[in-house]
Amino acid sequence: PSSSPVTSVTTSVPSPAPTICEERMKWHPDEKFSVCINDYNYPPEWTNPNVENDYFYESLEECCKGVFGTPECPYIDVCNPTANPTSSPMLSPSESPVVTIITPVPSPAPTI
């Protein structure tokens, strides 16, 4: 126990509410100019006010048009990540967990 009571600290102004990802992340090309992305990984010189408008965009479509000249392009959206997709969907989902199949009799000797 403490020797004296613990006092609470009250701030005069509440801290601002957190912003949603889309409000604080701007779209920009990655450093290889291979995709548009909305993360914080970019060269610090891109934030120079003289060139900032050459690299940062308010929307994915604006980034695609500015970087690739088309309204659609390869992108990575850190605000709405997708799971790693498989190369093709399964024909049908399994009804239960996969069961390990054990052979009835092991072979008498290893095959060469």
Side-chain angles (χ1 to χ4, degrees):
S2 62
S3 60
S4 61
V6 176
T7 57
S8 62
V9 176
T10 306
T11 60
S12 59
V13 179
S15 58
T19 58
I20 60 173
C21 186
E22 289 86 354
E23 290 176 352
R24 65 180 183 271
M25 302 297 238
K26 289 203 173 193
W27 287 93
H28 60 88
D30 67 343
E31 291 188 62
K32 295 178 182 177
F33 285 77
S34 59
V35 299
C36 282
I37 189 167
N38 57 347
D39 66 3
Y40 289 122
N41 296 319
Y42 46 80
E45 57 269 16
W46 288 9
T47 59
N48 178 317
N50 295 327
V51 297
E52 188 174 29
N53 290 335
D54 295 334
Y55 297 105
F56 296 98
Y57 303 89
E58 293 296 323
S59 70
L60 171 59
E61 184 176 350
E62 288 176 16
C63 183
C64 291
K65 286 179 180 177
V67 177
F68 298 99
T70 61
E72 294 182 356
C73 65
Y75 69 92
I76 298 171
D77 186 349
V78 299
C79 296
N80 297 298
T82 57
N84 293 333
T86 57
S87 59
S88 60
M90 294 179 61
L91 296 176
S92 62
S94 58
E95 292 182 19
S96 61
V98 177
V99 178
T100 304
I101 298 173
I102 300 173
T103 57
V105 178
S107 56
T111 55
I112 298 178

